[in-house]
Amino acid sequence: KQEVTQIPAALSVPEGENLVLNCSFTDSAIYNLQWFRQDPGKGLTSLLLIQSSQREQTSGRLNASLDKSSGRSTLYIAASQPGDSATYLCAVRPGRGSTLGRLYFGRGTQLTVWP
Amino acid sequence: DTAVSQTPKYLVTQMGNDKSIKCEQNLGHDTMYWYKQDSKKFLKIMFSYNNKELIINETVPNRFSPKSPDKAHLNLHINSLELGDSAVYFCASSQEEGDEQFFGPGTRLTVL
């Protein structure tokens, strides 16, 4: 069974810092990996989706990388801002042969960016 | 212009009652999901439907019954509510099963 771990569980940084959030998964046979952010009391917002054949995806100040063979993904946030404060969730989708719709979530990294 | 919507946003009820949560998506997606987020914020899939057909049914008590009247709607009916059912329930959708999933705002269920 796929297990997803996110480190650190919480992170508090001053505005302007570049950040790296880590995600690891136990079964490297994934179809793709999706990063989300969750604001308090709100739903999940999809940030980036990386297919298993890709090494990285970029959106604005966000860059997500994927090393499938080692079971790792990182989310890089450049020039962090207070508005980036949220919980960041990593989720993996099992590879073909399994039910593709099933997402396995990590427990998230709670990020606080202070001015 | 809301993509995935859920009603109600908050639901407070007594043990033993029956309640429903509604979900609608206007993205034209074929696949819809229900997730449960527990008190420790851990998200776990409960069900998925593709074109109104049940695809995923996790180990969920059969007090929980999803119903998909059409592709745009996936409702969750819960019978005989228990204290342990208190959680936030999220609906999501994607074009196909392996595609990017989009989530609704969640329904916070509190069972007293």
Side-chain angles (χ1 to χ4, degrees), chain A residues 32 34 38 46 93 101-102, chain B residues 37 58 97-101:
Chain A
N32 57 35
Q34 194 167 353
Q38 184 175 22
S46 179
R93 193 172 275 107
R102 188 188 308 275
Chain B
Q37 188 172 43
E58 286 293 278
E97 289 179 68
D99 292 340
E100 187 176 11
Q101 291 185 17

Side-chain angles (χ1 to χ4, degrees), chain A residues 17-57:
Chain A
E17 282 207 3
N18 300 324
L19 309 171
V20 175
L21 307 182
N22 296 295
C23 171
S24 61
F25 43 95
T26 54
D27 186 346
S28 62
I30 65 168
Y31 184 64
N32 57 35
L33 182 147
Q34 194 167 353
W35 281 94
F36 297 87
R37 70 174 277 170
Q38 184 175 22
D39 294 277
K42 301 277 181 69
L44 279 68
T45 301
S46 179
L47 297 173
L48 290 162
L49 176 75
I50 312 179
Q51 301 294 346
S52 62
S53 58
Q54 296 177 317
R55 298 283 297 184
E56 63 180 296
Q57 280 281 5

